[in-house]
Structure formats: C-alpha cells, structure tokens
Amino acid sequence: DGTAQGSKVKDMSLAEFGRLEINLAEVEMPGLMASREEFGPSKPLAGARVMGSLHMTVQTAVLIETLQALGADLRWCSCNIFSTQDHAAAAVVAAGTSKVFAWKGETLEEYWWCTEQALTWPDGEGPDIIVDDGGDATLLIHKGYEFEQAFEKDGSLPCPSTTTNEELKIVYRIIAESIQKDPKRFQKMVARLVGVSEETTTGVHRLKEMAKQGKLLFPAINVNDCVTKSKFDNIYGCRHSLTDGIMRATDVMIAGKKALVAGYGDVGKGSVQALKAAGAIVYVTEIDPICALQAYMEGVEVVLLEDVVDKVDIFITTTGNRDIIMAEHMAKMKNNAIVGNIGHFDNEIDMAGLLSNPEIKRQNIKPQVDRFIFPDGHGVIVLAEGRLLNLGCATGHPSFVMSCSFTNQVLAQLELWNNRANGKYGKDVYLLPKHLDEKVALLHLGVLGAKLTKLTPVQSEYLGIATEGPFKPDTYRY
Ligand code: NAI
C-alpha cells in the first residue's frame, strides 16, 4: 500500500531500505548536516509551509529532512515522471512528518495531480515558499493566476483544445476544474507566497523570461547560478551520472565508440569529460562561439549534427533548448545508435515525431529503454523516453555534489523566509551573496581533508581582499 498518512508513494514496504540509504547519504552531505547543526536549534523555518517540486531521490530526502529540522512544514513532489526513487519517498513518509506525492513511472496526468497535491495543504491553502526544479510548480501557479483573472473579466475558462502540447492540455484542465471550485484559489496562493528558490538552468530561464515581461508574481532566488551549484552539480554531477545512466540502460561498451554531445555549457562539459574518460571519441555541437572554442581547447571537435549523424554511436543532448535531435536525424543513424537527453525537458529530442509516425515501430526493451525501428529496419535506442536519462535510467547525481546544491537551497529558503516582511526582495530573480557561496564550499572541504591557506595581513592589504573573503569579485567566472 503506497498511501500512508496523507501521502501517496509507490510502496511503503521500501521505507526501511530507503532509510538505510538516507543514512549513508547523510555522511556524504556535510553541508546539509552542518546546516542542521547551525540552524536546527533556533528553528528559523518554524511556521513556514515549504512545497518542493524536485526529483524525489535519496539526496532530496536529506534536503527535506534538513528543512524539517529547521522547523518547516513540507509537502513534496518530483519534477520528473521517472526520477523518483521509491524507497526514498517511502522513508520520508514513514518518518511521519513531511508529505510526499511521487513515484517512479508516473503518467503525465499523475504527475500534475502530484504537483497539485503538494501545493495544497489540508486547509485548502498553499505554501509560503517553494523549492522548484525546472519551474513546473511556478508555472502551474502563474497559469492558474492568469486564467483566474481572465475568468473574472469575461467568464472564460482555459480550453485544453487551444494548445497542441499534451502536457499543457492537462494543466489547462486542472486549472479549469480549480476555477469552477474556487475562482480565487491561485490568487490566494500568490498572496500568501513569499517566494521560490529555483534549482536548474531551465527553470531560471523561465523565471527570467517572466520577470522581463513583468509577469513574475513573487520573488525568486536563482540557486542554479551559485558557483557551488552550476559549476559543481551541472559539471561534476553529470560527469558522474551520465555514463552511469547509459551503462545501466544499455550496458554498451563506451570505449572506442563515437559520441556526440549537443551543447558545451556546464552540463555539456561534464558529459564530454565522462565520455572521454570512458574511452569514447567525442564530438560537440554548439551555437555559441565561446563554448565552441572551449571545446577545441579540450581537444574536442565541433561539428554539425548533419555531418556526423550516420557515424556516431551515442548522441547526448545537453542544451536546455528544443528540437535538437529530430526524427529525420534518427532515420539516418546507425543501427542501435543510442539517443539520450540530460537537459531538463524531453523536447530536446523529437519524441513527438517518433511517436506520431505510424511507420516507426516502438519496441520496449525494459522500463526507460525503447528501440524505435524505422521502415528500413534499423533501430535507434532512446533512453528514458527523451527525459533526463541520468535520473530516468540511473539514480542521478551522487550525494556529495547534491549537498553543495542543496545547502544553497537551504540558504535560499532561509533568505526568503527571514526577509518576508521587509521588502528586500521584489518580483524579480536574485542571486545569493558570494560569501554564502564560499561558505557552502568551505562546508565541503573539511571531510576532504583540505588545508586552506590563510591570507597574511600584508597579502590581504596588497590584494585588497579581507582575510575572511569574499575572495573574488562577482564578475569572476571560475
Ligand atoms: P548552459 O546554458 O550552460 O549550456 C547549454 C549550452 O547549449 C549552451 O552553451 C548553449 O550555447 C548550447 N546550445 C543551445 N542551443 C543549442 C543548439 N541548438 N545546438 C547546440 N548547442 C546549443 O546550461 P547547463 O547548465 O549546461 O544546462 C543544460 C540543461 O541541463 C538545462 O536544461 C538544465 O536545466 C539541465 N540540467 C540537467 C541536470 C541533470 O542532472 N540532468 C543537471 C543540471 C542541469
């Protein structure tokens, strides 16, 4: 029975296993454990309702229980249909305080149901603060608010048939039903909301677009662009979990194969490192001349997808952009070429083009591994239905790197809640100050046995840098 104490997860009998893995993860997450020690006793988040929409993994369980130790009242869902680790979800529920709505292999319908459940407390009201990853919780609230305003003006309800996007159809229907029950639900939710802290590049991109258009309804902290997030999680996290996902899904020998990585940003750089280290011959595609030049400095050739599409064995998208590998590309690939995405959304790969073409047959090999067979008989192996393969086919990033990301999340949540009444944050997207970024790094150095050199007073004066930091200007790029 997966339903327990007002939560919904796959299987509560997995709770003990989940707890054992959470115990192991805690040792590898020194930043989160230090946050519990520093802030736990004063319960700074007491009275705060925190909603999270972020991959419900073992590492996220340690984040949830840290926010709980700081006094928060939490409801959680996953931000991807395949990323939940069911034993982690069960363990959080079994501990008895936080509510979780997440399981591996949700339908899209179930995914949005879970998001709505996590946003709704038993008294019908919403959260005070949100931890978002990719911006789906933020999107639901903004769309709900917008449609409620339209309904007030002319009685119109969102109409699913006005969009061709299957997922938006579901969102529109949920909002239409919500308006019929309570036409002010999302407006009340926005009135209560103190802000959101956003985990990933794609979610930050969405927030900045809304802020630019003057449509952002509450303050947002961009956690992704903390140095100790994007320059660690996006790079070294993906370096760990990309090949893990490819190997668990296909068991193919990577050495000697030709691999193409679309996008050489942070995720692309980590992905290329991993594939090179596994012995692959790696190519990159890029739109940005700076990133393309960076690829050459690492000995990686920058090519056009069209020029190598029939030679490459493993294709990985990391762009955060849409329409990167289309069905017509896959039609030209080698037999059993592997196609996977590690960017946030599944629109990097033309899944719609594969699924809507009756001439292309789908052969399911195992969960999250499908072979799409083209009329000429060749097949292409698509991982995790085009969704992020490191979380769909493996277990995502390891605990240590997630501790860096999530310690920033804890600091962002505290920053939003502590400043809820003083107007420090408006309806815009903000970064955390650099001294906190340096603090997060410091919290992770001790267990590694690092010995940091101290500036002497003379050196400190010579450089014009205080002995306790910040050590770099905001323009420094690391
Ligand atoms: P980024 O902005 O640093 O890198 C993306 C790169 O793709 C840029 O250099 C851009 O120029 C390039 N690009 C854009 N359109 C392109 C095209 N048509 N062809 C080739 N290259 C193109 O972003 P970052 O931080 O690397 O994130 C990438 C994606 O990965 C985002 O969706 C982000 O949310 C996601 N992400 C996923 C993680 C995971 O665990 N799966 C972890 C962290 C981020």
Side-chain angles (χ1 to χ4, degrees):
D1 180 11
T3 312
Q5 307 171 40
S7 290
K8 190 159 171 56
V9 299
K10 178 93 115 217
D11 181 358
M12 285 304 292
S13 74
L14 300 171
E16 207 175 315
F17 169 41
R19 181 53 54 191
L20 292 174
E21 289 218 329
I22 291 170
N23 292 344
L24 294 183
E26 285 176 351
V27 179
E28 281 286 302
M29 302 188 88
L32 287 182
M33 299 316 276
S35 302
R36 289 187 197 181
E37 224 164 89
E38 179 177 350
F39 305 113
S42 63
K43 299 272 177 282
L45 291 177
R49 291 177 167 185
V50 176
M51 181 271 181
S53 166
L54 196 157
H55 311 293
M56 183 55 250
T57 62
V58 168
Q59 293 70 34
T60 301
V62 184
L63 169 63
I64 292 172
E65 292 182 348
T66 301
L67 293 170
Q68 193 180 297
L70 271 52
D73 170 11
L74 293 120
R75 296 173 80 81
W76 212 269
C77 63
S78 207
C79 63
N80 185 280
I81 59 172
F82 293 138
S83 64
T84 296
Q85 291 171 242
D86 290 318
H87 61 316
V92 172
V93 173
T97 312
S98 301
K99 307 292 180 232
V100 179
F101 305 86
W103 54 94
K104 189 175 181 80
E106 294 160 3
T107 63
L108 283 174
E109 193 72 45
E110 290 167 340
Y111 173 82
W112 286 100
W113 179 85
C114 288
T115 305
E116 212 192 355
Q117 293 303 308
L119 276 172
T120 314
W121 263 254
D123 63 4
E125 288 212 22
D128 295 301
I129 353 177
I130 293 174
V131 178
D132 216 352
D133 184 347
D136 276 354
T138 303
L139 174 119
L140 180 59
I141 296 167
H142 278 75
K143 289 264 180 236
Y145 184 91
E146 200 179 296
F147 281 121
E148 281 180 3
Q149 308 257 298
F151 179 75
E152 258 173 35
K153 223 165 91 203
D154 56 18
S156 65
L157 286 170
C159 178
S161 63
T162 55
T163 172
T164 53
N165 181 316
E166 290 308 314
E167 206 164 346
L168 270 188
K169 279 188 206 287
I170 297 171
V171 173
Y172 285 12
R173 212 206 51 244
I174 288 174
I175 293 169
E177 285 167 8
S178 161
I179 291 176
Q180 280 161 329
K181 265 191 252 151
D182 175 3
K184 290 210 180 288
R185 176 183 173 206
F186 287 103
Q187 294 169 76
K188 284 184 276 185
M189 207 180 270
V190 169
R192 181 178 181 129
L193 261 168
V194 167
V196 59
S197 55
E198 170 56 53
E199 174 80 359
T200 197
T201 318
T202 286
V204 169
H205 178 73
R206 280 179 164 185
L207 287 168
K208 285 186 174 166
E209 283 294 306
M210 286 193 278
K212 204 162 78 189
Q213 295 167 15
K215 289 187 177 163
L216 187 61
L217 297 168
F218 37 79
I221 291 187
N222 165 2
V223 167
N224 182 68
D225 288 297
C226 294
V227 180
T228 48
K229 199 285 181 180
S230 50
K231 297 295 170 185
F232 290 83
D233 168 325
N234 303 26
I235 300 177
Y236 307 116
C238 291
R239 184 175 72 179
H240 174 105
S241 59
L242 171 73
T243 39
D244 187 11
I246 298 171
M247 290 184 210
R248 290 200 210 193
T250 66
D251 230 354
V252 83
M253 174 113 176
I254 296 174
K257 297 286 193 304
K258 292 191 173 67
L260 179 126
V261 175
Y264 196 65
D266 289 325
V267 170
K269 288 177 174 77
S271 300
V272 166
Q273 276 193 41
L275 290 162
K276 269 174 111 179
I281 301 151
V282 185
Y283 304 100
V284 152
T285 64
E286 251 300 341
I287 53 166
D288 177 341
I290 296 178
C291 296
L293 190 58
Q294 284 182 310
Y296 274 99
M297 294 304 103
E298 293 295 334
V300 176
E301 198 175 346
V302 180
V303 298
L304 291 176
L305 174 60
E306 290 70 20
D307 291 345
V308 296
V309 73
D310 56 345
K311 298 178 192 73
V312 167
D313 305 282
I314 303 170
F315 296 84
I316 304 296
T317 54
T318 79
T319 68
N321 198 350
R322 56 179 293 177
D323 304 338
I324 302 302
I325 297 183
M326 306 306 289
E328 53 266 33
H329 294 127
M330 292 183 261
K332 296 187 189 125
M333 287 178 186
K334 284 162 94 164
N335 186 38
N336 288 356
I338 296 166
V339 177
N341 165 48
I342 193 169
H344 192 79
F345 285 120
D346 59 338
N347 56 355
E348 301 210 21
I349 297 172
D350 182 20
M351 294 308 296
L354 284 181
L355 294 166
S356 64
N357 184 339
E359 307 220 297
I360 304 173
K361 302 280 178 245
R362 176 177 182 174
Q363 184 179 50
N364 180 251
I365 311 281
K366 62 180 181 182
Q368 285 83 57
V369 182
D370 292 285
R371 186 163 176 268
F372 286 88
I373 305 163
F374 287 74
D376 70 354
H378 90 284
V380 168
I381 299 167
V382 176
L383 307 184
E385 297 180 20
R387 294 169 197 277
L388 17 80
L389 76 95
N390 59 331
L391 282 137
C393 298
T395 51
H397 298 353
S399 301
F400 191 77
V401 87
M402 292 317 296
S403 178
C404 292
S405 305
F406 288 167
T407 306
N408 285 302
Q409 281 289 4
V410 170
L411 294 171
Q413 290 284 303
L414 284 172
E415 186 66 14
L416 286 167
W417 185 244
N418 290 339
N419 293 293
R420 65 190 179 279
N422 62 18
K424 181 172 177 188
Y425 294 110
K427 293 170 187 172
D428 210 340
V429 188
Y430 298 88
L431 284 171
L432 286 175
K434 184 162 298 280
H435 73 90
L436 292 182
D437 227 338
E438 292 179 350
K439 174 176 171 170
V440 172
L442 201 57
L443 290 176
H444 292 87
L445 280 174
V447 292
L448 298 175
K451 295 197 168 62
L452 265 189
T453 302
K454 284 245 173 297
L455 276 179
T456 66
V458 175
Q459 289 174 325
S460 159
E461 202 190 322
Y462 182 73
L463 289 177
I465 294 171
T467 47
E468 68 282 5
F471 297 97
K472 296 286 194 294
D474 286 337
T475 49
Y476 190 77
R477 293 188 173 93
Y478 296 86

